[in-house]
Amino acid sequence: RVTISGSARSAVFDMADTGNASVELPTSAISAAECLDEPGVASNADSNGMAIASTALTIILSRTITAPAAGYVLVLGTTQFQIGHTTGTSSLYNLGVSDSSTALPPNQDLLTSVISALPTGTYQKVVSPHGLFAVSAGANTFYLLGQKTSAASDNATAFDSQLTLIYFATAYG
C-alpha cells in the first residue's frame, strides 16, 4: 500500500484490493481529456419549418460532435411533421438520422404517410428516429433528413426539430 498525502488531499494505491478499490484518487484528479472515456453531448434545435418538397433528401438539421477517440455516437432526432394532404393521393415521406447528408441507412427510412382515402387537410405526426453510429476520433457530423417518397405527394414541413448527439467511448453489448 502506498499513500501520498498532501495538506488537503491524498492518493492511495493498494494492490491488496481489487478493481476500483485498488486506487483512490481525489475528486476531479483526472479530467475527461486525460482518460478519453467520458460521454459528451451536442445538440441542435430549430422551431422554424423546413419544407420537404422533393424526392431528394432534405437536411432538416445537422450537428457536429468532436469525439476525443474512436467510439460510438447515439443520434436522437425528433420533429413535428406537418403533412398537407389531398384526398385521392397517398402522402408518403421518409425520415431518419444519418452520418451522410445524401443517404439514409437501411434502418432509417421511417415511412410516414397519410392514406389516400383521408379527407383533404393538414395532418401532424411526431417522428423520432434514432441510430447508433461508430465514429473515429475528431469531428463527426450527423443529419436529421426527410424526403418525399412519391413526387405526387403534397409538400410537408418539419417543425420544432431537434437533433441530439451523445458520444460513448465503449460499447458494452
Side-chain angles (χ1 to χ4, degrees):
R1 176 181 172 110
V2 174
T3 301
I4 303 169
S5 295
S7 61
R9 305 176 341 151
S10 64
V12 177
F13 299 85
D14 187 349
M15 297 304 112
D17 278 332
T18 60
N20 289 337
S22 66
V23 177
E24 295 176 31
L25 298 175
T27 302
S28 299
I30 299 176
S31 73
E34 292 173 300
C35 59
L36 300 179
D37 69 350
E38 297 292 323
V41 298
S43 184
N44 189 7
D46 186 1
S47 61
N48 297 319
M50 174 61 68
I52 309 300
S54 169
T55 55
L57 285 169
T58 299
I59 298 171
I60 298 169
L61 280 177
S62 66
R63 184 67 168 105
T64 299
I65 189 168
T66 302
Y72 303 88
V73 172
L74 176 61
V75 180
L76 307 168
T78 191
T79 189
Q80 177 182 317
F81 204 60
Q82 184 172 297
I83 302 168
H85 174 71
T86 303
T87 300
T89 62
S90 292
S91 299
L92 306 170
Y93 310 87
N94 276 335
L95 286 105
V97 293
S98 183
D99 58 357
S100 166
S101 64
T102 60
L104 284 171
N107 66 333
Q108 286 297 317
D109 55 347
L110 301 179
L111 181 65
T112 302
S113 65
V114 179
I115 62 172
S116 63
L118 288 174
T120 296
T122 302
Y123 294 81
Q124 293 186 3
K125 299 181 178 207
V126 174
V127 182
S128 294
H130 67 277
L132 184 66
F133 297 85
V135 296
S136 57
N140 296 271
T141 303
F142 296 91
Y143 305 89
L144 175 59
L145 302 170
Q147 76 179 132
K148 286 184 186 184
T149 59
S150 168
S153 296
D154 292 338
N155 292 346
T157 307
F159 288 101
D160 297 330
S161 302
Q162 183 159 351
L163 187 62
T164 301
L165 312 177
I166 308 168
Y167 166 77
F168 298 95
T170 305
Y172 293 103

